[in-house]
Every structure is written in C-alpha cells, then in structure tokens.
Amino acid sequence: MHYFKQISLSSFKRLLGQSLWVSAALLSSATLCHAGQATQTASPPDETEKTWTEVALELPPAPKPENLVFFYKGSNLSFAIDKPSVSVASDGTVRYTLIASNNSGAKNISYEAIRCETYEHKLYAFGRADGTWSRSRRNEWDRISNTGVNKQHHILFTEFFCDGTTVAGKAPYLVNRLQGQGSSSVNSR
C-alpha cells in the first residue's frame, strides 16, 4: 500500500514555488516583527543624552600670595590654589588657578579645570610675571593620572573638588575643603 501519491513534475514545481513564496513571506514577516520590537525598546528621541558643551573661558585676575592655600607637597614641588579663582561653571567643571613651586622658589602659574564626570583635567592658560595670561595652545581634556610625581590633579579630584563623578559642592564649600574645614551647612554645598 502506497501512502504517497505520485505527482507530476509540473505539480511539484508549482507546490515548491508556493512553499518558497510562503516561506519568504513568513521570513519577511518575522523580520518586520523583530524590527518593530527593536524600535519599540529604543529610547524615544527626546530622551537621548544631551551633548556636553564646554562653557566659554573667562580668565581670573592674577593670584595674590595672601590668597593661596597649599594642598599637596610632592618630592620636588608644592601645590597651592588661589582661593578667589575657584569656581564651578555651568558645564559642571571646577575651574581654578594652580601654583606649583619648587624648592628653590621658582613658580609656575596655570589656570585649569577638572571635569568630575570624566576624571579629566584641562590647562587653559599660563600665568606671566606681569600678571597677564598666555592661553594654552592645547585645547584637549586629558585623563587625570594617579602615578608618577605629579599627582596634584588626582588629589584635587579625590579629596577636594569631586564626590565620585559629581562636583562636591559650590565654590565656597570647595575652598573650605581645601582649607581643611568641613561644612555641615547644606546651603554651602
């Protein structure tokens, strides 16, 4: 007893063609369903992350010796911040004037910023002896280093200016931290 019917070659081709068409339609439908699911799980256009934009640079007045607060001494250099220069910009950066002094009294003055969100620092300008600034030719943000002799940016990041990836508070609070004074006042943060 035969369970299978013998079919003609033309009927077989017709059935095969129909099967291929149905298979292609099902595959196409499955692809469209998957694409629909993918677009449904993607975040709406209004929820996409905003692009970070750096605030324009405004250079501060030259630092005065009476406004310096020392915060770190390396093997050959000691580092201080000019208190009035500390600011928190609307772009989330902490800007400040840094003074590096060696054992023989030579000083380098620079205006810089730290970006807590990305663990980076940037050099904006160098201080001149006459109290003016010379802008840096380099315009990039650099990763902060915790190795080698110059750990000043890491110290500023971890101990004074940042709490994790956020700024630790407003400028007066940051200056208090530099001076070794905590502040329990929420308003100063």
mmCIF file of all heavy atoms in Angstrom, residues 80-109:
data_model
loop_
_atom_site.group_PDB
_atom_site.id
_atom_site.type_symbol
_atom_site.label_atom_id
_atom_site.label_comp_id
_atom_site.label_asym_id
_atom_site.label_seq_id
_atom_site.Cartn_x
_atom_site.Cartn_y
_atom_site.Cartn_z
ATOM 1 N N ALA A 80 49.551 74.857 45.323
ATOM 2 C CA ALA A 80 48.582 75.715 46.003
ATOM 3 C C ALA A 80 47.504 76.135 45.010
ATOM 4 O O ALA A 80 47.703 76.105 43.796
ATOM 5 C CB ALA A 80 49.273 76.944 46.579
ATOM 6 N N ILE A 81 46.380 76.536 45.559
ATOM 7 C CA ILE A 81 45.252 77.046 44.768
ATOM 8 C C ILE A 81 44.988 78.478 45.214
ATOM 9 O O ILE A 81 45.025 78.791 46.404
ATOM 10 C CB ILE A 81 43.985 76.189 45.003
ATOM 11 C CG1 ILE A 81 44.188 74.763 44.512
ATOM 12 C CG2 ILE A 81 42.754 76.826 44.352
ATOM 13 C CD1 ILE A 81 44.253 74.582 43.019
ATOM 14 N N ASP A 82 44.702 79.340 44.244
ATOM 15 C CA ASP A 82 44.288 80.706 44.528
ATOM 16 C C ASP A 82 42.793 80.655 44.864
ATOM 17 O O ASP A 82 41.963 80.366 43.996
ATOM 18 C CB ASP A 82 44.551 81.581 43.296
ATOM 19 C CG ASP A 82 44.063 82.997 43.474
ATOM 20 O OD1 ASP A 82 44.342 83.612 44.522
ATOM 21 O OD2 ASP A 82 43.389 83.498 42.542
ATOM 22 N N LYS A 83 42.451 80.898 46.129
ATOM 23 C CA LYS A 83 41.066 80.743 46.589
ATOM 24 C C LYS A 83 40.038 81.515 45.760
ATOM 25 O O LYS A 83 39.011 80.945 45.388
ATOM 26 C CB LYS A 83 40.947 81.125 48.070
ATOM 27 C CG LYS A 83 41.703 80.193 48.986
ATOM 28 C CD LYS A 83 41.527 80.563 50.451
ATOM 29 C CE LYS A 83 42.327 81.802 50.771
ATOM 30 N NZ LYS A 83 42.310 82.134 52.210
ATOM 31 N N PRO A 84 40.257 82.812 45.451
ATOM 32 C CA PRO A 84 39.231 83.540 44.690
ATOM 33 C C PRO A 84 39.014 83.008 43.263
ATOM 34 O O PRO A 84 37.993 83.290 42.654
ATOM 35 C CB PRO A 84 39.762 84.976 44.637
ATOM 36 C CG PRO A 84 40.741 85.083 45.740
ATOM 37 C CD PRO A 84 41.321 83.715 45.903
ATOM 38 N N SER A 85 39.946 82.234 42.756
ATOM 39 C CA SER A 85 39.802 81.736 41.382
ATOM 40 C C SER A 85 38.927 80.489 41.278
ATOM 41 O O SER A 85 38.512 80.115 40.186
ATOM 42 C CB SER A 85 41.184 81.401 40.793
ATOM 43 O OG SER A 85 41.713 80.231 41.395
ATOM 44 N N VAL A 86 38.629 79.845 42.404
ATOM 45 C CA VAL A 86 37.838 78.616 42.367
ATOM 46 C C VAL A 86 36.401 78.942 41.984
ATOM 47 O O VAL A 86 35.746 79.790 42.601
ATOM 48 C CB VAL A 86 37.883 77.878 43.730
ATOM 49 C CG1 VAL A 86 36.989 76.648 43.701
ATOM 50 C CG2 VAL A 86 39.308 77.499 44.088
ATOM 51 N N SER A 87 35.929 78.267 40.940
ATOM 52 C CA SER A 87 34.537 78.455 40.515
ATOM 53 C C SER A 87 33.998 77.135 39.964
ATOM 54 O O SER A 87 34.757 76.270 39.534
ATOM 55 C CB SER A 87 34.440 79.542 39.433
ATOM 56 O OG SER A 87 35.086 79.110 38.243
ATOM 57 N N VAL A 88 32.684 77.008 40.010
ATOM 58 C CA VAL A 88 32.016 75.858 39.408
ATOM 59 C C VAL A 88 31.218 76.408 38.231
ATOM 60 O O VAL A 88 30.272 77.175 38.415
ATOM 61 C CB VAL A 88 31.092 75.135 40.411
ATOM 62 C CG1 VAL A 88 30.384 73.964 39.739
ATOM 63 C CG2 VAL A 88 31.886 74.658 41.630
ATOM 64 N N ALA A 89 31.628 76.049 37.036
ATOM 65 C CA ALA A 89 30.980 76.553 35.823
ATOM 66 C C ALA A 89 29.679 75.799 35.576
ATOM 67 O O ALA A 89 29.472 74.691 36.077
ATOM 68 C CB ALA A 89 31.924 76.397 34.623
ATOM 69 N N SER A 90 28.808 76.382 34.782
ATOM 70 C CA SER A 90 27.514 75.755 34.485
ATOM 71 C C SER A 90 27.657 74.474 33.664
ATOM 72 O O SER A 90 26.719 73.698 33.568
ATOM 73 C CB SER A 90 26.606 76.749 33.763
ATOM 74 O OG SER A 90 27.184 77.139 32.541
ATOM 75 N N ASP A 91 28.841 74.213 33.106
ATOM 76 C CA ASP A 91 29.059 72.971 32.369
ATOM 77 C C ASP A 91 29.508 71.831 33.285
ATOM 78 O O ASP A 91 29.818 70.736 32.832
ATOM 79 C CB ASP A 91 30.075 73.175 31.234
ATOM 80 C CG ASP A 91 31.447 73.618 31.723
ATOM 81 O OD1 ASP A 91 31.688 73.633 32.958
ATOM 82 O OD2 ASP A 91 32.290 73.960 30.879
ATOM 83 N N GLY A 92 29.577 72.088 34.597
ATOM 84 C CA GLY A 92 29.947 71.050 35.554
ATOM 85 C C GLY A 92 31.442 70.916 35.782
ATOM 86 O O GLY A 92 31.882 69.947 36.395
ATOM 87 N N THR A 93 32.225 71.880 35.329
ATOM 88 C CA THR A 93 33.666 71.837 35.574
ATOM 89 C C THR A 93 34.009 72.717 36.759
ATOM 90 O O THR A 93 33.325 73.700 37.042
ATOM 91 C CB THR A 93 34.469 72.319 34.349
ATOM 92 O OG1 THR A 93 34.097 73.666 34.029
ATOM 93 C CG2 THR A 93 34.231 71.424 33.140
ATOM 94 N N VAL A 94 35.081 72.345 37.456
ATOM 95 C CA VAL A 94 35.617 73.164 38.535
ATOM 96 C C VAL A 94 36.858 73.843 37.966
ATOM 97 O O VAL A 94 37.778 73.183 37.498
ATOM 98 C CB VAL A 94 35.997 72.328 39.768
ATOM 99 C CG1 VAL A 94 36.561 73.220 40.868
ATOM 100 C CG2 VAL A 94 34.796 71.541 40.280
ATOM 101 N N ARG A 95 36.871 75.169 37.998
ATOM 102 C CA ARG A 95 37.984 75.943 37.441
ATOM 103 C C ARG A 95 38.741 76.620 38.572
ATOM 104 O O ARG A 95 38.141 77.044 39.557
ATOM 105 C CB ARG A 95 37.462 76.955 36.428
ATOM 106 C CG ARG A 95 36.774 76.229 35.263
ATOM 107 C CD ARG A 95 36.166 77.142 34.259
ATOM 108 N NE ARG A 95 35.489 76.367 33.218
ATOM 109 C CZ ARG A 95 35.169 76.825 32.037
ATOM 110 N NH1 ARG A 95 35.447 78.084 31.717
ATOM 111 N NH2 ARG A 95 34.568 76.064 31.158
ATOM 112 N N TYR A 96 40.074 76.740 38.387
ATOM 113 C CA TYR A 96 40.915 77.229 39.469
ATOM 114 C C TYR A 96 42.283 77.640 38.927
ATOM 115 O O TYR A 96 42.707 77.200 37.857
ATOM 116 C CB TYR A 96 41.110 76.128 40.522
ATOM 117 C CG TYR A 96 41.641 74.853 39.896
ATOM 118 C CD1 TYR A 96 43.012 74.620 39.807
ATOM 119 C CD2 TYR A 96 40.773 73.920 39.344
ATOM 120 C CE1 TYR A 96 43.504 73.483 39.196
ATOM 121 C CE2 TYR A 96 41.260 72.786 38.727
ATOM 122 C CZ TYR A 96 42.625 72.563 38.654
ATOM 123 O OH TYR A 96 43.105 71.431 38.027
ATOM 124 N N THR A 97 42.991 78.469 39.702
ATOM 125 C CA THR A 97 44.375 78.814 39.395
ATOM 126 C C THR A 97 45.265 77.958 40.283
ATOM 127 O O THR A 97 45.105 77.937 41.508
ATOM 128 C CB THR A 97 44.644 80.308 39.657
ATOM 129 O OG1 THR A 97 43.766 81.078 38.829
ATOM 130 C CG2 THR A 97 46.078 80.674 39.324
ATOM 131 N N LEU A 98 46.194 77.259 39.640
ATOM 132 C CA LEU A 98 47.124 76.365 40.324
ATOM 133 C C LEU A 98 48.514 76.987 40.327
ATOM 134 O O LEU A 98 48.976 77.486 39.296
ATOM 135 C CB LEU A 98 47.171 75.012 39.606
ATOM 136 C CG LEU A 98 48.129 73.964 40.163
ATOM 137 C CD1 LEU A 98 47.566 73.383 41.460
ATOM 138 C CD2 LEU A 98 48.336 72.852 39.145
ATOM 139 N N ILE A 99 49.167 76.969 41.493
ATOM 140 C CA ILE A 99 50.532 77.476 41.609
ATOM 141 C C ILE A 99 51.415 76.312 42.038
ATOM 142 O O ILE A 99 51.186 75.699 43.087
ATOM 143 C CB ILE A 99 50.636 78.635 42.638
ATOM 144 C CG1 ILE A 99 49.810 79.843 42.162
ATOM 145 C CG2 ILE A 99 52.086 79.055 42.813
ATOM 146 C CD1 ILE A 99 48.393 79.809 42.576
ATOM 147 N N ALA A 100 52.408 75.997 41.210
ATOM 148 C CA ALA A 100 53.377 74.947 41.526
ATOM 149 C C ALA A 100 54.705 75.623 41.833
ATOM 150 O O ALA A 100 55.201 76.411 41.035
ATOM 151 C CB ALA A 100 53.525 74.000 40.344
ATOM 152 N N SER A 101 55.264 75.342 43.003
ATOM 153 C CA SER A 101 56.527 75.961 43.430
ATOM 154 C C SER A 101 57.558 74.868 43.692
ATOM 155 O O SER A 101 57.246 73.856 44.328
ATOM 156 C CB SER A 101 56.330 76.746 44.725
ATOM 157 O OG SER A 101 55.286 77.668 44.592
ATOM 158 N N ASN A 102 58.798 75.102 43.231
ATOM 159 C CA ASN A 102 59.851 74.127 43.541
ATOM 160 C C ASN A 102 60.610 74.583 44.790
ATOM 161 O O ASN A 102 60.362 75.658 45.340
ATOM 162 C CB ASN A 102 60.778 73.883 42.346
ATOM 163 C CG ASN A 102 61.642 75.065 41.995
ATOM 164 O OD1 ASN A 102 61.768 76.033 42.750
ATOM 165 N ND2 ASN A 102 62.264 75.003 40.835
ATOM 166 N N ASN A 103 61.552 73.760 45.234
ATOM 167 C CA ASN A 103 62.284 74.035 46.475
ATOM 168 C C ASN A 103 63.120 75.303 46.419
ATOM 169 O O ASN A 103 63.414 75.908 47.447
ATOM 170 C CB ASN A 103 63.173 72.831 46.836
ATOM 171 C CG ASN A 103 62.343 71.603 47.134
ATOM 172 O OD1 ASN A 103 61.174 71.707 47.521
ATOM 173 N ND2 ASN A 103 62.923 70.427 46.953
ATOM 174 N N SER A 104 63.515 75.746 45.225
ATOM 175 C CA SER A 104 64.331 76.958 45.126
ATOM 176 C C SER A 104 63.483 78.213 44.921
ATOM 177 O O SER A 104 64.018 79.297 44.733
ATOM 178 C CB SER A 104 65.362 76.824 44.003
ATOM 179 O OG SER A 104 64.726 76.545 42.787
ATOM 180 N N GLY A 105 62.143 78.066 44.945
ATOM 181 C CA GLY A 105 61.270 79.233 44.873
ATOM 182 C C GLY A 105 60.699 79.560 43.510
ATOM 183 O O GLY A 105 59.898 80.485 43.387
ATOM 184 N N ALA A 106 61.102 78.851 42.472
ATOM 185 C CA ALA A 106 60.525 79.099 41.140
ATOM 186 C C ALA A 106 59.060 78.663 41.133
ATOM 187 O O ALA A 106 58.695 77.669 41.752
ATOM 188 C CB ALA A 106 61.313 78.344 40.079
ATOM 189 N N LYS A 107 58.223 79.446 40.426
ATOM 190 C CA LYS A 107 56.778 79.167 40.407
ATOM 191 C C LYS A 107 56.261 79.051 38.981
ATOM 192 O O LYS A 107 56.691 79.781 38.091
ATOM 193 C CB LYS A 107 56.011 80.288 41.098
ATOM 194 C CG LYS A 107 56.261 80.359 42.547
ATOM 195 C CD LYS A 107 55.408 81.451 43.175
ATOM 196 C CE LYS A 107 55.683 81.511 44.566
ATOM 197 N NZ LYS A 107 55.612 81.816 45.655
ATOM 198 N N ASN A 108 55.315 78.144 38.813
ATOM 199 C CA ASN A 108 54.540 78.040 37.576
ATOM 200 C C ASN A 108 53.089 78.283 37.951
ATOM 201 O O ASN A 108 52.565 77.665 38.883
ATOM 202 C CB ASN A 108 54.671 76.652 36.938
ATOM 203 C CG ASN A 108 55.983 76.468 36.235
ATOM 204 O OD1 ASN A 108 56.544 77.424 35.721
ATOM 205 N ND2 ASN A 108 56.466 75.240 36.223
ATOM 206 N N ILE A 109 52.441 79.171 37.225
ATOM 207 C CA ILE A 109 51.041 79.501 37.481
ATOM 208 C C ILE A 109 50.240 79.066 36.265
ATOM 209 O O ILE A 109 50.615 79.345 35.127
ATOM 210 C CB ILE A 109 50.871 81.019 37.722
ATOM 211 C CG1 ILE A 109 51.703 81.436 38.936
ATOM 212 C CG2 ILE A 109 49.403 81.382 37.902
ATOM 213 C CD1 ILE A 109 51.801 82.940 39.119
#
